[in-house]
Amino acid sequence: MNHTICDVNGFEQFTKAIIEIAYGAEKPSIMPVWRRELLCETNPPRVRCIHHEYDQLPLDNKSLFKPYHSSFFFGPKEIHALRCCLPGHLAESSTTFDVLTACLWRCRTAALQWQNPNQEVRLLSIVNARRNSRFNPPLPKGFYGNAIVFPAAVSTVGKICGSPLSYVLELVKKAKSEVSEEYFHSVVDLLAINGRACFTRTGSFVVSDLSRTGFRDANYGWGKPLYSGLAKAGFGDILGVSFYVPHTNSKGEHGTVVPICLPEEAMVRFEEELNEILNFEDGKEESVTILRSNI
């Protein structure tokens, strides 16, 4: 997959097209649409929003490390435990993605043990232009190009680790709520002005929700996949990226698998932080870890 050609929705569209052809269709039911001019920069380009996700900061040893990989399963029991940590109104009004993201960001921040409590950290959650009518008119059906942005929630290590989970959750929700059609075009113009700079990696944790993609139902003729997501966290040499993959565990529970990449010693602390939030005790509950491999 080449991310300069398509995003996950475009790749899913391609996958479905191949399946349809494999079953005898003469052409895909949804024809591909190029139309890249819809997301080109304006003339002249003009940045209209604040984009902390593109603040250029020097890399530190928390962003560059020998990777150690684990994956964690979150089913109904785990998500219920997280919601019990929140005030009633937030527990009811927040999506599973928001609640889970807040939990993981807090655990990861604590596990990395920055010495400076004023160290700035970011949560970048990938938002797609196709969803929730963010464009008016919407992008045409069949558009398979990149239509994603990474709005940043920004705070400090001290605040993230010293505040209740509700504080972190509010940051996540606020960052996502600020994404509009204007925000998308502002990002495009920013990249045009700054030479397509990468998002900041220092102190950043990036999450991408694949739970609503149709890959788990992809059937080329010999059955559905046993697993339908990335094998490990990270994206190339960018280690602080995790993906939310739909999965059914050995008990038949439907939930989400999240690959995590950290230094090995930090992974131990991450699991401890996670189990503390979930109120799991060693020996009394099944571990949330379902796969561990030092790749």
Side-chain angles (χ1 to χ4, degrees):
M1 177 179 173
N2 188 330
H3 223 315
T4 63
I5 299 296
C6 66
D7 57 19
V8 68
N9 291 81
F11 185 58
E12 179 185 9
Q13 179 184 334
F14 174 78
T15 301
K16 289 181 177 178
I18 297 298
I19 291 172
E20 290 174 342
I21 293 171
Y23 275 90
E26 294 185 359
K27 62 180 182 179
S29 58
I30 300 176
M31 295 299 292
V33 174
W34 182 254
R35 297 292 307 277
R36 300 307 164 96
E37 74 278 4
L38 296 173
L39 291 177
C40 284
E41 66 270 19
T42 59
N43 186 18
R46 181 170 59 92
V47 179
R48 286 144 282 181
C49 304
I50 297 174
H51 301 289
H52 288 301
E53 61 272 29
Y54 289 102
D55 293 340
Q56 297 304 301
L57 304 171
L59 288 174
D60 61 4
N61 61 356
K62 304 297 184 182
S63 306
L64 296 172
F65 52 83
K66 182 180 179 181
Y68 188 87
H69 295 271
S70 288
S71 293
F72 299 84
F73 177 79
F74 297 87
K77 177 182 64 176
E78 288 79 12
I79 299 302
H80 174 73
L82 293 179
R83 291 189 186 278
C84 287
C85 299
L86 300 167
H89 71 285
L90 272 180
E92 294 176 3
S93 64
S94 302
T95 66
T96 296
F97 171 85
D98 293 339
V99 172
L100 181 55
T101 298
C103 168
L104 295 176
W105 186 23
R106 187 181 184 194
C107 290
R108 187 179 187 275
T109 302
L112 284 169
Q113 289 188 337
W114 271 281
Q115 296 303 308
N116 180 9
N118 295 318
Q119 166 69 43
E120 202 170 70
V121 289
R122 288 164 171 75
L123 184 283
L124 279 58
S125 53
I126 294 179
V127 175
N128 198 296
R130 299 172 181 84
R131 296 176 183 168
N132 301 325
S133 302
R134 295 187 186 275
F135 272 54
N136 185 24
L139 293 174
K141 190 174 184 180
F143 180 84
Y144 62 93
N146 276 298
I148 56 175
V149 290
F150 320 86
V154 184
S155 188
T156 64
V157 170
K159 288 183 178 179
I160 293 292
C161 297
S163 302
L165 187 62
S166 56
Y167 165 78
V168 186
L169 176 58
E170 293 278 24
L171 290 177
V172 174
K173 296 178 69 171
K174 181 177 183 295
K176 287 175 55 184
S177 69
E178 293 173 349
V179 177
S180 61
E181 183 172 357
E182 182 182 36
Y183 189 96
F184 272 88
H185 288 296
S186 180
V187 168
V188 173
D189 286 356
L190 175 68
L191 294 178
I193 293 171
N194 291 347
R196 300 181 183 272
C198 181
F199 57 82
T200 183
R201 295 163 58 179
T202 300
S204 293
F205 178 41
V206 187
V207 292
S208 178
D209 185 10
L210 306 182
S211 63
R212 289 183 285 183
T213 61
F215 295 123
R216 67 183 312 181
D217 296 318
N219 186 347
Y220 294 93
W222 53 85
K224 296 180 180 181
L226 296 177
Y227 181 76
S228 58
L230 287 89
K232 59 182 181 179
F235 200 84
D237 63 347
I238 303 175
L239 303 177
V241 184
S242 287
F243 307 91
Y244 295 2
V245 181
H247 187 67
T248 303
N249 68 6
S250 58
K251 297 179 180 179
E253 297 173 325
H254 300 293
T256 302
V257 166
V258 183
I260 297 287
C261 180
L262 286 167
E264 184 172 0
E265 66 278 6
M267 188 67 76
V268 175
R269 296 191 293 267
F270 177 87
E271 189 168 345
E272 291 172 349
E273 292 285 339
L274 182 57
N275 282 325
E276 182 176 345
I277 291 180
L278 295 172
N279 291 317
F280 288 178
E281 297 180 18
D282 291 341
K284 294 186 179 182
E285 293 281 358
E286 180 184 0
S287 171
V288 293
T289 303
I290 65 166
L291 173 68
R292 176 173 291 136
S293 58
N294 188 13
I295 301 175

